[in-house]
Amino acid sequence: MHAVSLDNLWVAFGLTFAAGLATAIGSLLVLFSKRPNPRLLAFGLAFAGGAMVYVSLSEILNKSVASFALAYGEHLGFTYGTLWFLAGVILVVLIDHFVPNPHETLDKQDPAFKEKNRSSIRRVGLLSAVAITAHNFPEGLATFFATLESPSVGLPLAFAIAIHNIPEGIAIAVPVYFATGRKSYAFGASLLSGLAEPVGAAIGFFALAGSLSNATFGAVFGLIAGIMVFLALDELLPAAKRYAKGHETVYGLVIGMATIAISLVLFKW
């Protein structure tokens, strides 16, 4: 059985809550600046993608395999860890299929917005908020359980997800602000979407609180690794490439991986 530290529990909820609040930061960038810097945004998205892929494959997937190995032995541990990793990928594929995540421009001056009427834009904003909120639930679960098991893994993952959430907040705030003309509505919509992460963490924890065995942690970590890798490859890196004008994507990717690698080495000391 895994023993859950009360300190880790509060740290896990705190980091998940903070990562979710990054969507509100994204909305503030829309409301109080002329437009986001696309090259900086490209670098940030690629940085987050590199960080998420590295920490998922080097730490979280290994924790899944190790947890299953404690429950079922080394050979079955690797098998189950791999299967749950693939299950995490399939889970996000299904979410994407039934609730597609919009990948629209982040520029509120874009002609695509001006060509549509306000009611249509309002609908775009609502669909964006619903879709992003649906994707935030598994992200909150990932941050929470990674931190619950090991804050040294959860902290860089929360940081990467927070960076990822900033453009999501922008994607929600742009159409809502354009349709309503009210900053409070745009900020509120982004904030509510971000709060889906701590809500997802709370639901996951209370649903699994009575069965936090080695096998349960193995399954959760396998799912988390699959979810994070898919999100990075399907959302962050394509979006980074879309806003890049040079080599920002590959630089951000490599630096993101290197930053997480170095931080994990330092945490070991």
Side-chain angles (χ1 to χ4, degrees):
M1 280 291 283
H2 267 75
V4 177
S5 163
L6 187 59
D7 288 341
N8 278 11
L9 183 63
W10 287 112
V11 171
F13 271 121
L15 282 180
T16 306
F17 186 76
L21 287 181
T23 57
I25 296 175
S27 72
L28 293 177
L29 293 178
V30 172
L31 303 178
F32 297 105
S33 65
K34 293 183 179 179
R35 61 174 296 181
N37 183 325
R39 301 189 71 176
L40 181 60
L41 183 60
F43 179 86
L45 287 168
F47 181 97
M52 286 166 65
V53 168
Y54 188 91
V55 77
S56 295
L57 295 180
S58 69
E59 288 286 323
I60 299 176
L61 180 57
N62 284 338
K63 285 183 176 294
S64 173
V65 172
S67 294
F68 275 125
L70 290 174
Y72 303 116
E74 183 176 342
H75 296 297
L76 282 178
F78 184 81
T79 300
Y80 285 140
T82 301
L83 290 175
W84 278 96
F85 171 83
L86 296 175
V89 172
I90 293 171
L91 175 63
V92 189
V93 169
L94 291 175
I95 293 176
D96 254 347
H97 176 73
F98 291 107
V99 189
N101 201 4
H103 301 285
E104 302 295 336
T105 177
L106 303 183
D107 185 1
K108 60 186 176 183
Q109 300 300 324
D110 189 272
F113 285 115
K114 296 182 178 181
E115 290 169 3
K116 302 175 184 177
N117 58 42
R118 288 184 181 273
S119 62
S120 176
I121 294 299
R122 190 179 295 111
R123 180 175 175 274
V124 170
L126 178 61
L127 292 176
S128 298
V130 170
I132 291 172
T133 299
H135 287 74
N136 281 348
F137 277 104
E139 290 179 13
L141 193 66
T143 307
F144 176 77
F145 275 97
T147 308
L148 191 64
E149 170 68 7
S150 173
S152 65
V153 174
L155 183 60
L157 180 60
F159 179 68
I161 289 177
I163 294 175
H164 161 53
N165 282 345
I166 291 174
E168 287 192 343
I170 295 172
I172 294 172
V174 165
V176 172
Y177 183 43
F178 183 87
T180 65
R182 297 194 178 186
K183 294 182 178 181
S184 59
Y185 284 9
F187 178 79
S190 298
L191 179 62
L192 286 175
S193 178
L195 291 178
E197 295 201 2
V199 169
I203 292 173
F205 175 71
F206 288 115
L208 300 173
S211 58
L212 291 179
S213 63
N214 289 318
T216 302
F217 269 91
V220 170
F221 286 130
L223 282 172
I224 288 171
I227 289 168
M228 292 297 99
V229 169
F230 185 89
L231 287 176
L233 299 180
D234 180 58
E235 293 188 19
L236 273 69
L237 296 183
K241 193 65 178 176
R242 189 179 306 124
Y243 301 115
K245 295 184 178 179
H247 297 287
E248 296 91 351
T249 302
V250 68
Y251 292 160
L253 178 69
V254 172
I255 293 173
M257 288 184 170
T259 301
I260 297 303
I262 293 170
S263 70
L264 290 173
V265 168
L266 294 176
F267 273 124
K268 300 293 184 184
W269 289 80

